[in-house]
Amino acid sequence: MEELSLNILDIAQNSVRAGAGRVDISVTERPADDRLIITIADDGCGMTPEQVAHVEDPFYTTRTTRKVGLGVPFFKMAALMTGGDFSICSQVGKGTEVKAVFGLTHIDRMPLGNMADTMCILMGCNEQINFSFTYQVGEEIFSVSTAQLQEILDGVPLNSPQVMEFIREYIKENMDLLSGGAS
Amino acid sequence: MKSLAELQALRDSMKGKIGVRDDAEGNTRVVIGMATCGIAAGARPVLAAFTEEVSKRNLQNVTIAQTGCIGICQYEPVVEVFEPGKEKVTYVKMTPEMAVKVVNEHLVNGNIVTEYTIGAKTK
């Protein structure tokens, strides 16, 4: 994977499969202490301490369609190779929070990439889940949520291709405004 | 600059023609594998190309959805097209350019793009 936004899309799929009703994704750029922090938190089924211990192992997966689970190991590696940090907190029945910390300007930090595409797919294809996305650069914040969009849409499905296109453009333009187009 | 007021306008224009329901009978479903294998192989831009092209052509009754890993990781990105009353068509090793062609030839004109199907790639 060449973009952190692809890792986020991938990790968020675990929340979808965990039966989450709410998934909060945040991307925070802190130029002051040169950190980029990504969190993905859900209220899904959670994991036992044994599962949490295993989840960073590439040869551990709960799925039956194949024998490896690379999502979490990829994300962890991406963070650690920038002098960052990686943690998973989970409780059965409560949910899971994945947090990755990156060196913002570290040479090995992958670009955030197309976060608008990632959120557009997550929101459009999982209408039953309330996704929130918060993007913060220094003191400036942009945020959007499924609930907020659904209130305006008033029954028009989020997954209509026309609506998904709107979501993508809306997020992209607002993020560009904060980052000066350089994510 | 896109604003939420524009979303309101979009909603109003769409409300008139709601056969657009997710589960409406007669909807064609385009399902894209979006697990680690699919994502790493380029499924995200493929899904984006489908929504963009379907939206651009203003096709009604097409639903785009994601699914997990279906176990043929070596053929990702995998796209399945379900048309009511027809057999499922499985496209493999898709790219955004191929997605545009599938929208135009298969979804619009009703002709399966045989050379992109799993049957053609595994021969």
Side-chain angles (χ1 to χ4, degrees):
Chain A
M1 298 209 194
E2 292 151 1
E3 296 177 10
L4 295 177
S5 58
L6 288 173
N7 288 279
I8 295 172
L9 176 60
D10 189 23
I11 298 295
Q13 300 296 341
N14 299 337
S15 302
V16 173
R17 293 209 317 144
R22 204 201 75 235
V23 181
D24 300 321
I25 296 174
S26 76
V27 175
T28 307
E29 293 181 20
R30 287 204 318 231
D33 62 347
D34 197 36
R35 282 285 176 262
L36 169 70
I37 300 155
I38 295 174
T39 61
I40 298 129
D42 70 54
D43 65 351
C45 64
M47 291 180 285
T48 62
E50 293 73 39
Q51 282 175 309
V52 175
H54 274 125
V55 79
E56 293 170 24
D57 170 3
F59 297 102
Y60 177 80
T61 180
T62 54
R63 80 177 68 248
T64 51
T65 49
R66 53 176 151 79
K67 290 199 176 77
V68 292
L70 292 171
V72 169
F74 274 159
F75 196 35
K76 181 181 180 179
M77 180 187 74
L80 295 188
M81 70 190 197
T82 67
D85 208 354
F86 183 85
S87 64
I88 297 179
C89 293
S90 189
Q91 227 182 321
V92 172
K94 288 266 171 73
T96 301
E97 183 183 81
V98 176
K99 181 176 180 181
V101 180
F102 299 81
L104 178 61
T105 58
H106 193 286
I107 187 126
D108 288 327
R109 182 181 67 82
M110 284 188 277
L112 183 58
N114 195 337
M115 201 54 212
D117 262 6
T118 285
M119 288 315 304
C120 155
I121 289 172
L122 288 172
M123 290 173 149
C125 293
N126 300 284
E127 202 150 357
Q128 74 289 2
I129 299 175
N130 184 13
F131 279 94
S132 75
F133 171 56
T134 306
Y135 179 55
Q136 181 168 4
V137 179
E139 299 298 309
E140 287 188 275
I141 298 183
F142 162 69
S143 72
V144 61
S145 72
T146 299
Q148 183 191 4
L149 297 171
Q150 274 172 338
E151 199 186 312
I152 295 171
L153 283 167
D154 190 25
V156 171
L158 269 173
N159 73 349
S160 330
Q162 291 82 352
V163 173
M164 285 177 71
E165 279 300 297
F166 171 88
I167 297 173
R168 184 222 312 267
E169 302 261 308
Y170 177 67
I171 294 177
K172 183 177 186 311
E173 289 181 4
N174 278 283
M175 288 184 72
D176 283 353
L177 212 60
L178 260 64
S179 66
S183 49
Chain B
M1 186 76 196
K2 285 260 184 293
S3 72
L4 291 173
E6 260 176 85
L7 184 60
Q8 265 169 14
L10 181 61
R11 171 200 65 196
D12 293 339
S13 77
M14 291 184 74
K15 271 218 153 170
K17 46 191 173 192
I18 282 207
V20 199
R21 288 262 337 155
D22 193 15
D23 48 1
E25 274 181 48
N27 263 15
T28 295
R29 280 169 57 79
V30 178
V31 180
I32 294 132
M34 201 58 67
T36 308
C37 49
I39 295 169
R44 190 183 68 181
V46 168
L47 194 152
F50 270 106
T51 51
E52 191 182 342
E53 192 66 16
V54 167
S55 164
K56 204 192 287 175
R57 298 192 150 257
N58 210 12
L59 300 183
Q60 305 299 323
N61 305 321
V62 175
T63 306
I64 295 173
Q66 62 162 39
T67 186
C69 171
I70 60 169
I72 48 169
C73 310
Q74 67 274 34
Y75 292 111
E76 294 285 352
V78 173
V79 175
E80 297 171 307
V81 178
F82 298 87
E83 284 178 288
K86 293 189 188 166
E87 244 184 276
K88 169 181 85 176
V89 177
T90 304
Y91 291 111
V92 298
K93 298 194 174 181
M94 290 291 285
T95 63
E97 294 72 28
M98 290 160 76
V100 170
K101 191 166 169 187
V102 167
V103 171
N104 293 329
E105 303 214 347
H106 187 163
L107 303 186
V108 176
N109 294 329
N111 301 318
I112 295 169
V113 190
T114 314
E115 69 260 38
Y116 297 167
T117 60
I118 189 159
K121 299 273 167 133
T122 50
K123 259 178 204 160

